Amino acid sequence: NLSKEISMYAAEPFFKYKSVRTLWIGGGTPSAVPFEKIEEMLKILMDKFNFEQSAEITLETNIHDLTEDYIKRVADSPINRLSIGIQSFTEKYLRMMGRSYSPEWIDTFFGFINKYNLNISIDLMFRYPGQSLTDIQEEIDLIGKYSDKIDHITLYGLILFPRLGIFKRVASGALPKQASLSKYEKMC
């Protein structure tokens, strides 16, 4: 089980005199796991390893999991940073990717997040099928709307893999093809 595995690593001589400066809880969508399980794991980690007082502890999340009650629980835990897969502020791209939240929910989230002392990192994507440079500029303008609440932005170019529904819709012609990466060089 996870507790035994953490204990095994903590017993390694390498970790005896090391302190932990950062912890990333990610690799999927940990925010979909009941928060009690995350708290249990954090307690074990913090009992077994020497965490620095100012350690950055990040939880990777999807914004649709982030109700204000959930955020309160996060803020009361050792977690001090959220990495949020927003992907887009635009309705048409959220729908294209099959996301279950809306720009209105993003706005609601950013309306209450400042009550809590959490650093916020967001993931955004570009290179959606049919996305124009004007569309990207509109996304950037929307980032500006929330800039006082965002500490870090990671920008990813969308890669279409054959097993994804969006790939199949592009291949069938139901969605336009992606622009070549050279189109985006003009932005830099």
Side-chain angles (χ1 to χ4, degrees), residues 96-97 129 158-176 178:
M96 189 181 289
M97 295 301 294
L158 177 63
I159 299 172
L160 298 179
F161 293 102
R163 69 179 188 277
L164 299 176
I166 190 171
F167 177 92
K168 294 171 185 165
R169 292 191 316 246
V170 170
S172 73
L175 288 174
Q178 288 179 294

